[in-house]
């Protein structure tokens, strides 16, 4: 049987939902956690993944397939845009953006990057 490729991933934000997702990813056979951005996490919390203070720093220094963005809503747009510009797939908690215009902007950027 052929071995499936694991998706490299990163988590931005290790609050309540981030910790739950971290636990699920660490047990998953589909994802390999490469990096975490959190102001409160320690290296002991995230195993062998790299630890960054901000999502921007993580995305500038780490290449991943998927970014789980679980931080505050005011950070969603900036980090999501940066990730999409680097051709990463993104997962956002809800609401995905502070308003409909910003949500449409993210959708358009994602579609543009998907077509490339």
């Amino acid at each position: 049987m052929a071995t499936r490729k694991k998706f490299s991933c990163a988590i931005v934000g290790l609050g309540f939902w981030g910790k739950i997702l971290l636990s699920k990813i660490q047990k998953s056979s589909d994802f390999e956690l490469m990096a975490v951005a959190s102001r409160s996490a320690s290296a002991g919390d995230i195993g062998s993944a790299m630890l960054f203070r901000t999502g921007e720093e993580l995305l500038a220094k780490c290449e991943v397939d998927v970014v789980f963005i679980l931080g505050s809503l005011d950070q969603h747009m900036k980090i999501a845009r940066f990730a999409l510009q680097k051709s990463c797939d993104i997962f956002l908690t809800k609401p995905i953006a502070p308003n409909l215009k910003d949500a449409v902007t993210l959708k358009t950027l994602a579609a543009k990057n998907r077509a490339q």
Side-chain angles (χ1 to χ4, degrees), residues 13-114:
L14 269 189
F16 178 80
W17 290 112
K19 289 176 184 170
I20 291 171
L21 185 60
L22 173 67
S23 169
K24 300 295 183 188
I25 288 172
Q26 288 174 327
K27 295 174 187 171
S28 173
S29 61
D30 297 317
F31 293 98
E32 181 177 3
L33 183 65
M34 305 301 291
V36 171
S38 173
R39 290 183 293 251
S40 61
S42 68
D45 297 331
I46 61 170
S48 63
M50 294 179 282
L51 180 61
F52 297 94
R53 299 289 290 158
T54 67
E56 294 88 343
E57 180 186 15
L58 181 154
L59 289 167
K61 296 181 178 178
C62 188
E63 296 289 328
V64 294
D65 299 317
V66 181
V67 180
F68 294 92
I69 303 170
L70 304 160
S72 62
L73 180 58
D74 62 325
Q75 293 292 306
H76 275 195
M77 282 299 293
K78 183 167 52 170
I79 297 168
R81 273 188 167 168
F82 195 14
L84 289 170
Q85 289 167 345
K86 292 188 63 144
S87 298
C88 298
D89 289 327
I90 60 172
F91 172 93
L92 294 163
T93 54
K94 62 180 183 179
I96 65 168
N99 57 58
L100 180 58
K101 180 183 174 194
D102 288 345
V104 170
T105 297
L106 288 178
K107 181 181 178 192
T108 302
L109 183 57
K112 178 182 169 190
N113 288 342
R114 183 65 69 188

